[in-house]
Amino acid sequence: MSDNLQSLNRAAVAEAIVAAHAGTFGRSDEALPSRVASSDHPIYLGAKDAVAMLGFIEVDAECIARAWLSQSERTGRFDAGAWPDAPEDFGLRNFPPGERADAFPACPRRLGLYAVLPDAAWVGRMARAGVPTVQLRFKSDDAAAIRREVFAAVEAVQGTEALLFINDHWQATIDAGAYGLHLGQEDLDALQPAELSAIKAAGLRLGVSTHGYAEMVRANKVSPSYIAMGAVYPTTLKKMATAPQGVARLAAYARLMRGYSQVGIGGIDEARFPEVLATGVGSVAVVRALVTANDPDATARRLATMIDEGVRG
């Protein structure tokens, strides 16, 4: 059977994949075949050409191409219509990840409305408004100010049911006794093994931002509590190294990472909630939709209800 797979034509493989999936992901007229190859197998080469034409960046094209080859070898046939979504084809460790011995503590499978907020005052306000998951994203170069704000945020959610994640400041998060920590990909990569072990030993839940297949594969290595996927739509709040992912990719990511709690993030406003929830993610993160609302408390309650009803539906 492997000889039959090896005899396939690279160009034909690419053409078949593009024909099957351009309607879902769109097609990039600027894409060129990759000059970097880790295999000479025609399925790998054709798949990598195809996903580049579908607009995926090099590192993600590499992941998908290798997964397509693995899928074909595992099933004994090449299927252009079967977009890879089996964890084993991406080289991911055993699923569900929560059963791994070194996994971070679990958080709810569906985190609901997830408010990303600039300071402790906003954290407290949204927690009291009934937002189930809140994150303090406090930006400062003043270490003392950071610690004060983290401790204040932990105090602000007392007496509510809100789960509080702190963005980036892992030592202050441990010291203050927050529920969890959220890290961007670069912040995760910068941690030393001993620091990651200290975060886990403290019992913190860990969330990790990802922006495509390659980053999801990297995040999976540490078995976090949840994975955030985006940016789904254009956002002006943060300079992004990757283009907006869109809901078609978000749905593909959700299928692959289905063993995790999942958060869709980036440029999501109220009108976009239904199509984001339709991808299967159990949580939607918002920033501007709350902090710029005329009535943030009422908006928070309405969005939380939309997610709850959308997830149940």
Side-chain angles (χ1 to χ4, degrees):
M1 185 65 69
S2 60
D3 291 340
N4 292 337
L5 295 176
Q6 188 71 50
S7 67
L8 293 171
N9 177 269
R10 171 181 181 171
V13 167
E15 182 179 352
I17 291 174
V18 171
H21 300 284
T24 299
F25 297 110
R27 179 167 181 164
S28 173
D29 295 328
E30 300 177 358
L32 296 173
S34 174
R35 296 182 179 181
V36 179
S38 60
S39 170
D40 61 0
H41 199 289
I43 293 178
Y44 162 84
L45 293 170
K48 193 164 187 183
D49 291 344
V51 295
M53 286 186 274
L54 295 174
F56 288 86
I57 61 175
E58 171 70 26
V59 290
D60 290 341
E62 174 70 15
C63 287
I64 301 166
R66 295 203 66 85
W68 221 306
L69 174 56
S70 176
Q71 171 181 267
S72 301
E73 292 178 334
R74 177 173 55 81
T75 62
R77 60 189 290 267
F78 166 67
D79 184 349
W83 191 268
D85 62 9
E88 61 264 38
D89 292 329
F90 285 83
L92 302 185
R93 298 168 58 195
N94 56 300
F95 267 54
E99 295 181 0
R100 301 170 188 164
D102 62 348
F104 273 82
C107 62
R109 185 65 183 270
R110 300 189 180 279
L111 289 164
L113 181 63
Y114 190 134
V116 181
L117 303 161
D119 56 41
W122 270 106
V123 165
R125 179 175 181 176
M126 290 297 96
R128 291 190 297 274
V131 176
T133 309
V134 292
Q135 179 190 130
L136 173 68
R137 184 190 283 172
F138 181 70
K139 299 300 180 182
S140 174
D141 294 327
D142 185 335
I146 289 170
R147 285 185 64 82
R148 284 195 300 270
E149 206 67 26
V150 170
F151 275 78
V154 170
E155 178 66 25
V157 300
Q158 297 304 308
T160 76
E161 296 183 358
L163 306 178
L164 171 63
F165 288 86
I166 305 297
N167 187 291
D168 289 351
H169 310 299
W170 66 269
Q171 187 61 64
T173 303
I174 292 174
D175 296 343
Y179 177 81
L181 173 72
H182 181 90
L183 294 175
Q185 196 81 196
E186 292 181 356
D187 299 307
L188 176 62
D189 292 344
L191 285 177
Q192 298 299 313
E195 294 172 333
L196 193 64
S197 295
I199 294 167
K200 189 179 301 178
L204 294 180
R205 282 74 175 174
L206 177 65
V208 179
S209 294
T210 65
H211 308 91
Y213 282 100
E215 293 192 358
M216 288 189 294
V217 169
R218 285 159 58 194
N220 173 73
K221 292 179 180 179
V222 303
S223 305
S225 309
Y226 76 79
I227 288 185
M229 302 175 291
V232 183
Y233 303 101
T235 175
T236 59
L237 291 175
K238 188 176 180 182
K239 185 176 181 180
M240 305 302 298
T242 55
Q245 303 296 304
V247 290
R249 293 193 190 191
L250 181 62
Y253 301 158
R255 290 193 299 272
L256 173 61
M257 308 306 285
R258 52 190 173 269
Y260 281 102
S261 297
Q262 303 170 349
V263 181
I265 188 170
I268 304 172
D269 58 22
E270 184 171 346
R272 290 165 165 164
F273 265 49
E275 62 182 10
V276 171
L277 290 170
T279 67
V281 299
S283 178
V284 178
V286 294
V287 186
R288 288 178 300 176
L290 292 178
V291 299
T292 65
N294 290 330
D295 187 340
D297 298 51
T299 301
R301 289 189 288 269
R302 185 169 65 252
L303 295 181
T305 299
M306 287 180 66
I307 294 180
D308 187 43
E309 293 178 347
V311 168
R312 286 204 306 264

